[in-house]
Amino acid sequence: MTATAPAAEATVRKSSPGAARGPRRRTGRIRRIGLPYLLLLPALLLELLVHLVPMVIGIVMSFKELTQFYIRDWGTAPWAGFDNYSVSVDFDAPVGKALFHSFLVTVAFTVLSVGLCWLIGTAAAVFMQDTFRGRGLLRALFLVPYALPVYAAVITWVFMFQHDNGLVNHVLHDQLGLTDKPSFWLIGDNSFIALLTVSVWKGWPFAFLIVMAGLQNIPRELYEAAALDGAGMVQQLRRITLPSLRPVNQVLVLVLFLWTFNDFNTPYVLFGKSAPEAADLVSVHIYQASFVTWNFGTGSAMSVLLLLFLLVVTGVYLALTSRGRRTAQ
């Protein structure tokens, strides 16, 4: 008994450091795993407060008969159920018909704006791949529309589109003689062209920047080998550039689509609270339905319908692009 006691104590002493290191290792592992989440916690809380909470409140408001009489305490507004949604999607009624017209205008505007932004940005990025004097200065000038504040840039365009003393009419009518008389660009059918022009002007530099970054990852050896095989510029663009930029373009088109479809600042600054019928985008239409007619329940229902539409389109787009990527691989 006396002889075995020191041996037992020695065994316990030898095993105790390892036993102590075990919990320490587990604690260190937990700290390493939990540290990234701890660092992300402030951003997640801010995102919750800024976006998710107002979104949930807007969804609740869409089920209430919320008008100007209940603004002081919107929680006491009567429960409307799906009546606001029924009014919004009733395309035979004035409210639904106006919303459907705004939706069609927004779709046409988004398709044209995204297509032109991508086309101009890609062409400029491909052109900037060649080395020439002044390339850095030209790149900086191309990014000016994207770097300018939206309000300052759009207000400048408002002055340029003025009927009597605007620069656009001065160039098109007075100097070039392309029109019989000065045109109204901020009212009537020409308002769609004005809105599209401003959107493309401030949006294509983003496409230029993204495509130019994607072009840096294409090895120059591919172009050199293609040139030795006799491939011209058009063939190199079709066989090398565009296929290599496919992952970049998939993300770029989706981002441009979401930004353009939800754009509120450009039409609001360009036309004010009441946009012309030809340039009545969904974002401005929802604003008018909420803050002009003081029917916040219907406006919230329209916002939820817009959110669902964008979620469906984004999901379908991601599914199609993922299937195309797997097929290509």
Side-chain angles (χ1 to χ4, degrees):
M1 297 292 293
T2 306
T4 57
E9 290 182 5
T11 304
V12 171
R13 289 175 182 177
K14 289 182 181 180
S15 60
S16 59
R21 283 197 298 267
R24 291 177 183 177
R25 289 177 181 177
R26 287 194 296 270
T27 305
R29 190 181 303 112
I30 293 174
R31 289 178 179 177
R32 288 195 302 269
I33 296 175
L35 182 60
Y37 296 99
L38 183 63
L39 295 176
L40 288 175
L41 184 61
L44 293 176
L45 293 177
L46 184 62
E47 179 73 16
L48 179 67
L49 294 175
V50 173
H51 290 95
L52 295 182
V53 172
M55 184 184 301
V56 173
I57 294 176
I59 294 174
V60 174
M61 290 170 57
S62 67
F63 293 99
K64 287 181 171 290
E65 190 179 342
L66 184 58
T67 59
Q68 68 268 27
F69 303 106
Y70 300 97
I71 295 300
R72 184 181 297 273
D73 188 7
W74 67 272
T76 60
W79 190 262
F82 290 94
D83 292 344
N84 293 324
Y85 293 92
S86 300
V87 171
S88 301
V89 298
D90 186 5
F91 301 136
D92 295 329
V95 176
K97 185 181 297 184
L99 179 61
F100 184 69
H101 172 267
S102 177
F103 173 77
L104 294 180
V105 171
T106 308
V107 170
F109 165 73
T110 303
V111 171
L112 292 175
S113 179
V114 172
L116 290 175
C117 287
W118 177 84
L119 182 62
I120 298 174
T122 302
V126 172
F127 173 73
M128 284 296 168
Q129 289 303 106
D130 296 332
T131 303
F132 56 90
R133 180 176 296 180
R135 183 178 67 167
L137 178 61
L138 198 57
R139 282 180 176 178
L141 292 177
F142 281 173
L143 295 177
V144 168
Y146 181 69
L148 284 176
V150 176
Y151 288 95
V154 178
I155 288 175
T156 303
W157 276 101
V158 171
F159 287 108
M160 293 173 61
F161 281 128
Q162 291 297 319
H163 176 264
D164 297 326
N165 53 5
L167 179 63
V168 176
N169 279 334
H170 177 69
V171 173
L172 296 180
H173 177 69
D174 299 336
Q175 293 186 348
L176 300 179
L178 298 178
T179 57
D180 298 334
K181 57 182 179 179
S183 304
F184 290 94
W185 294 101
L186 300 179
I187 59 175
D189 295 337
N190 290 332
S191 59
F192 183 84
I193 300 176
L195 179 61
L196 181 63
T197 301
V198 178
S199 177
V200 173
W201 177 81
K202 71 182 185 66
W204 77 265
F206 176 75
F208 162 73
L209 185 65
I210 299 302
V211 174
M212 186 173 61
L215 289 174
Q216 306 303 317
N217 296 324
I218 303 178
R220 301 300 302 176
E221 291 79 6
L222 296 178
Y223 294 100
E224 295 175 358
L228 291 177
D229 292 338
M233 182 182 299
V234 177
Q235 292 180 334
Q236 293 180 14
L237 182 65
R238 290 180 54 191
R239 303 297 183 181
I240 300 177
T241 305
L242 293 181
S244 301
L245 289 176
R246 185 175 299 167
V248 176
N249 285 329
Q250 289 174 354
V251 178
L252 174 61
V253 170
L254 179 60
V255 172
L256 287 176
F257 168 77
L258 294 176
W259 283 359
T260 307
F261 208 96
N262 284 318
D263 190 11
F264 174 79
N265 296 328
T266 302
Y268 183 80
V269 178
L270 198 62
F271 305 116
K273 296 181 179 180
S274 180
E277 186 178 0
D280 184 22
L281 300 185
V282 170
S283 57
V284 180
H285 188 86
I286 294 175
Y287 171 82
Q288 293 174 351
S290 301
F291 294 95
V292 176
T293 62
W294 296 94
N295 197 336
F296 293 95
T298 304
S300 300
M302 293 179 181
S303 300
V304 174
L305 291 175
L306 175 61
L307 174 63
L308 293 177
F309 171 76
L310 293 178
L311 289 176
V312 170
V313 172
T314 302
V316 172
Y317 178 83
L318 292 177
L320 292 177
T321 53
S322 299
R323 182 186 303 175
R325 191 183 305 115
R326 290 194 298 267
T327 303
Q329 293 176 354

